[in-house]
Amino acid sequence: MAEIEEDDTYGRMPTALMPNIRRPPPTIPAAIGSALYPLESLHLDRSKPIEIQMRLSALKIQKHEKHWVESTKQPGYIHFRTYYEHEKLNYCAVCSEGVWRDQPEMRPIYHRHISSIQYRITATANQHGEYVCPTCRMTVHSLKSGIRYPVILTSSTLNGWQGTRSLNSYPGDEIHVDQISLPGAKLKDLALAFRAELGFSYKPVDVVVIAGLNNIISGQSLEEIVFEARVLKKTVLSVEGSTCMFCTLPLPPMMTALEGDNSTPKNDKTDLLNRLNTQLKELNSEKNHPYAQRVPAFHTFGLKKTSKVEKQGPNQMWASKPRHKDVCWRESSKSTMLHLSDSVRLRMGRSLTRYFMGIYGILPDRKDRWKSI
């Protein structure tokens, strides 16, 4: 991850507070007092019970979120769903039933669609307006999470990156980060999913995209992939005040060959993937965006530098060459190695959480309290 440098995008924020999970609920929201969750955004009236205000505010947020998702659906979508959901597995009610200018009619779409937003808008709230969040360190927290939405938009590359927390001991995210995952998706599929879920958001959205390998697998050219990336970025930026950043992609052994490798895949896409990563960096840097140097880069994950003795004339010299590190990949055969291992993906996901904490001006110190950067 690139080193975070201080800028005045949000200005220096007052010290943000870590919620005290030992006090009776409702707990203080994570990152309260930061750019993500300014104190004034609570809109509390000190003359009225805080608990009641927090509950009503949280339930209002949930109602708004559910409304904007349903507002994309065409009348009669229930009948449409009943007709098509049994045709094939994985009927997607989110992407199939939305209509807008680019998609004026409903159409059946079948794919796996994992979304923390869909989970939240259907979650049952307790008497304090809180729900059980499966990804956060503070498992039970308010339905209201701040004045912006941090979102990870990914294909299978980072789907379920937290893994089994009871086994890997990951305590959960310090702040709430929404995730929309479509295993097997191309960039255009993620644009559709974003439009269906957040296209009518009344709050700005900060999106990080980790996808594009499926575009390469499908045989698309560099120009076609970059076009889809630009459409996705334009879709995100159509929500006023939003940002969209692309992470560089890892180099899977099934489609790339490095200098230190002992084998070459049948369909070598190394040059295409390297050029795509360069294009994604340029997309981030358009208009000198301040987040461009902060977004994590994943093109070196799953690689290892190896030193070999090479003869050059009468002399010998040590040369460092990159190669794939097989243990870092989930699959066992090089011809099928596409996904990084769970431990590597956990590091990748953790770097994204810290990216969001960085742009909002908050980072945890060693005592697990919040401070501004």
Side-chain angles (χ1 to χ4, degrees):
M1 180 177 178
E3 183 180 353
I4 295 178
E5 298 177 358
E6 182 180 345
D7 63 35
D8 59 356
T9 305
Y10 289 102
R12 293 192 61 82
M13 302 303 301
T15 300
L17 302 175
M18 181 66 181
N20 180 5
I21 60 176
R22 291 185 295 273
R23 71 179 293 276
T27 54
I28 299 173
I32 191 70
S34 71
L36 174 64
Y37 210 147
L39 290 170
E40 58 270 19
S41 68
L42 286 174
H43 303 298
L44 296 178
D45 185 345
R46 295 184 179 275
S47 65
K48 299 178 181 179
I50 293 178
E51 291 80 1
I52 295 177
Q53 294 181 74
M54 289 289 288
R55 170 178 167 77
L56 294 176
S57 177
L59 294 178
K60 183 178 180 180
I61 289 293
Q62 186 184 44
K63 182 179 179 180
H64 280 316
E65 291 180 337
K66 189 172 184 178
H67 171 73
W68 83 54
V69 171
E70 291 186 345
S71 67
T72 67
K73 297 180 183 291
Q74 194 173 43
Y77 71 88
I78 295 295
H79 176 74
F80 182 88
R81 182 187 305 173
T82 303
Y83 184 84
Y84 284 105
E85 66 180 347
H86 301 298
E87 292 287 317
K88 292 194 301 184
L89 290 175
N90 297 323
Y91 170 80
C92 181
V94 178
C95 296
S96 299
E97 298 160 9
V99 292
W100 40 82
R101 181 182 302 175
D102 300 332
Q103 183 175 303
E105 299 287 338
M106 291 186 290
R107 56 177 180 167
I109 296 174
Y110 299 89
H111 58 216
R112 291 176 60 203
H113 189 129
I114 302 98
S115 167
S116 61
I117 299 170
Q118 295 297 314
Y119 174 84
R120 182 170 64 250
I121 64 178
T122 57
T124 301
N126 64 15
Q127 67 270 31
H128 304 291
E130 299 171 326
Y131 76 111
V132 178
C133 177
T135 60
C136 284
R137 181 173 301 187
M138 185 171 63
T139 304
V140 179
H141 64 71
S142 176
L143 289 162
K144 184 177 180 181
S145 57
I147 62 172
R148 304 182 70 87
Y149 287 111
V151 178
I152 296 174
L153 199 57
T154 183
S155 58
S156 58
T157 304
L158 277 185
N159 177 49
W161 63 266
Q162 289 192 358
T164 306
R165 287 162 52 182
S166 60
L167 298 179
N168 60 30
S169 301
Y170 180 60
D173 297 341
E174 295 93 336
I175 62 172
H176 183 82
V177 177
D178 279 311
Q179 301 175 42
I180 301 175
S181 304
L182 276 65
K186 294 188 285 188
L187 289 164
K188 67 177 182 180
D189 302 318
L190 294 176
L192 174 63
F194 178 89
R195 175 78 69 127
E197 294 210 46
L198 290 163
F200 291 87
S201 172
Y202 67 97
K203 294 194 290 187
V205 186
D206 296 308
V207 172
V208 173
V209 182
I210 311 93
L213 294 178
N214 291 312
N215 294 72
I216 295 177
I217 292 173
S218 69
Q220 287 184 305
S221 66
L222 176 64
E223 292 73 21
E224 291 171 324
I225 301 172
V226 173
F227 176 77
E228 287 193 13
R230 288 192 175 278
V231 170
L232 173 53
K233 183 174 182 178
K234 182 179 179 180
T235 303
V236 173
L237 298 185
S238 67
V239 179
E240 186 176 358
S242 297
T243 65
C244 182
M245 292 287 131
F246 294 85
C247 294
T248 55
L249 298 169
L251 309 177
M254 69 171 284
M255 66 174 71
T256 59
L258 302 179
E259 195 175 359
D261 288 342
N262 297 320
S263 60
T264 302
K266 293 182 179 179
N267 193 8
D268 190 354
K269 300 291 186 180
T270 308
D271 181 62
L272 173 59
L273 190 45
N274 284 332
R275 287 189 292 146
L276 175 59
N277 280 334
T278 300
Q279 289 288 312
L280 294 178
K281 289 181 181 179
E282 292 178 0
L283 267 178
N284 293 339
S285 300
E286 288 181 345
K287 298 181 180 180
N288 295 318
H289 200 285
Y291 296 172
Q293 300 303 316
R294 294 183 168 187
V295 64
F298 297 140
H299 59 277
T300 60
F301 281 62
L303 307 184
K304 180 181 180 180
K305 285 187 177 181
T306 179
S307 296
K308 295 182 179 180
V309 177
E310 292 189 346
K311 288 187 176 181
Q312 291 192 354
N315 301 318
Q316 288 184 340
M317 66 173 293
W318 288 93
S320 181
K321 296 182 178 181
R323 68 175 178 84
H324 287 104
K325 191 175 181 180
D326 292 354
V327 72
C328 291
W329 299 87
R330 181 191 300 172
E331 294 82 8
S332 57
S333 171
K334 276 190 177 295
S335 62
T336 59
M337 285 183 181
L338 176 63
H339 303 95
L340 287 157
S341 67
D342 289 346
S343 60
V344 176
R345 295 187 327 125
L346 183 62
R347 288 195 290 118
M348 295 165 68
R350 177 64 181 132
S351 69
L352 292 178
T353 302
R354 292 187 66 83
Y355 161 78
F356 288 118
M357 293 167 67
I359 66 174
Y360 297 139
I362 48 176
L363 285 173
D365 63 17
R366 294 180 179 179
K367 294 182 181 179
D368 211 19
R369 299 171 61 189
W370 295 91
K371 65 180 180 180
S372 60
I373 59 173

